[in-house]
């Protein structure tokens, strides 16, 4: 275990320096890892594990996603099965279906979670809100989690580039006495950068808060608000978009991620420095009450219930597409399409 300083707080993390890939292979050498679901996280985790030499199979119902799994080299009847058959064959059963999908298949696969197996997650939703999802694991199986801090696409891309995506890990139930070792070995297997310890409850609440907050919901709202104010005051669509979105995403955020906000302050104009220093506290103070409201809604399970009720409907996908269509029809989104086409790497294509 390594000690790292995060903003003045020392935390214990795990990296491949302390827990090698060879050790991970040894820990999981007798395991059959069954990845259920080949949508968001499934492809990245399954392919990384396979490339790292682990025994992996995939469970996916037939359709477009099943065909994608075949295109990625998973062989029907050998490494590609139905969800139920993969769950039966696996000793580590990985629930990488959507949250709604996990709830739907749980009655079908729980019978295959026999003593000594491990039930694996990359999100604490189903377990943390088990009173709402009815996902209650048997007492004689390990319940573990490795949660990549990014998309499955990023996990796979960074792995192929020789880099690792940071992950959190947690043990909810240790029935075998080996749950922690299994968890860390799994994280190394999928190509984690460093892993930091959490709980199912903390991961689930922070994840839902982040998705609704700075990762998607809040940033979308912030960009829309600034764009609208600029347009309402006579600025052209291209100017409003470039000053709101394009400069942020194409220029500043890559530098911010690579070098940090202190570097940004040191390398912008004195006018920008002064304005940012003056206005950052105002935005913080205005936004914090909304974030507190959001966190309470997540913690109490209200957001989980909204997701369960919405995502479990048979017409969910159609309703989602309708909402996205409305969003895409906004002027800012339509301007974004034009600007993307103008980027040199796209050469007029979108």
């Amino acid at each position: 275990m390594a000690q790292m300083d995060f903003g003045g707080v020392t935390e214990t993390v795990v990296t491949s320096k302390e827990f090698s890939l060879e050790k991970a292979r040894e820990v999981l050498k007798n395991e059959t890892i069954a990845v259920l679901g080949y949508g968001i996280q499934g492809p990245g985790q399954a392919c990384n594990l396979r490339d790292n030499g682990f025994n992996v199979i995939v469970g996916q119902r037939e359709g477009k996603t099943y065909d994608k799994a075949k295109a990625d080299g998973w062989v029907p009847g050998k490494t590609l099965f139905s969800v139920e058959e993969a769950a039966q064959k696996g000793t580590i059963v990985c629930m990488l279906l959507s949250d709604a999908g996990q709830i739907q298949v749980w009655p079908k696969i729980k019978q295959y979670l026999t003593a000594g197996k491990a039930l694996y997650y990359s999100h604490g939703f189903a377990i943390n809100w088990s009173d709402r999802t009815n996902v209650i694991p048997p007492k004689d199986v390990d319940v573990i989690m490795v949660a990549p801090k990014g998309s499955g696409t990023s996990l796979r891309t960074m792995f192929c580039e020789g880099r690792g995506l940071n992950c959190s890990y947690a043990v909810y139930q240790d029935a075998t006495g080996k749950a922690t070792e299994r968890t860390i070995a799994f994280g190394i297997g999928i190509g984690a950068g460093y892993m930091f310890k959490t709980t199912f409850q903390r991961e689930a609440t922070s994840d839902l808060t982040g998705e609704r907050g700075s990762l998607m919901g809040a940033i979308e709202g912030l960009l829309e608000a600034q764009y609208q104010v600029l347009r309402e005051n006579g600025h052209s669509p291209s100017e409003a978009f470039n000053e709101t979105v394009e400069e942020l995403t194409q220029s500043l955020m890559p530098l911010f991620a690579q070098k940090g906000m202190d570097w940004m302050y040191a390398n912008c104009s004195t006018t920008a420095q002064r304005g940012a220093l003056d206005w950052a506290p105002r935005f913080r103070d205005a936004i914090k009450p909304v974030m507190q409201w959001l966190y309470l809604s997540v913690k109490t399970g209200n957001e989980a219930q909204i997701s369960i009720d919405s995502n479990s409907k048979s017409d969910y996908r159609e309703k989602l597409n309708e909402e996205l269509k409305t969003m895409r029809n906004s002027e800012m989104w339509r301007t974004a399409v034009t600007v993307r086409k103008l980027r040199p790497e796209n050469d007029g294509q979108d």
Side-chain angles (χ1 to χ4, degrees), residues 264-339:
M264 294 292 297
Y265 272 105
N267 287 274
C268 66
S269 70
T270 55
T271 301
Q273 290 171 355
R274 184 70 266 146
L277 288 167
D278 288 346
W279 279 91
R282 299 171 189 174
F283 278 108
R284 180 199 62 218
D285 294 345
I287 293 168
K288 189 172 180 181
V290 180
M291 295 301 296
Q292 291 171 325
W293 177 17
L294 165 59
Y295 189 82
L296 180 62
S297 186
V298 171
K299 187 175 181 179
T300 57
N302 182 56
E303 293 299 313
Q305 193 62 54
I306 291 171
S307 294
I308 293 169
D309 293 343
S310 172
N311 299 352
S312 60
K313 293 179 180 177
S314 59
D315 62 347
Y316 164 71
R317 184 60 58 182
E318 290 77 10
K319 292 290 180 63
L320 172 66
N321 288 334
E322 288 177 13
E323 290 185 69
L324 290 175
K325 184 178 180 180
T326 300
M327 186 177 290
R328 292 190 192 102
N329 282 333
S330 74
E331 187 182 87
M332 190 181 83
W333 276 56
R334 286 185 281 113
T335 301
V337 172
T338 301
V339 172

Side-chain angles (χ1 to χ4, degrees), residues 213-231:
S214 64
L215 301 181
M216 291 183 69
I219 193 69
E220 166 70 15
L222 170 65
L223 298 180
E224 285 275 8
Q226 180 170 305
Y227 180 89
Q228 289 173 9
V229 168
L230 290 173
R231 289 289 289 124

Side-chain angles (χ1 to χ4, degrees), residues 24 30-31 43 68 87 93 119 129 147 150 164 181 189 225 249 279 295 301 313 324 341 345:
N30 295 320
E31 305 277 13
K68 180 183 185 304
V93 179
L119 179 60
W129 289 294
E181 192 175 46
T249 59
W279 279 91
Y295 189 82
K313 293 179 180 177
L324 290 175
K341 290 180 179 179
E345 68 271 17

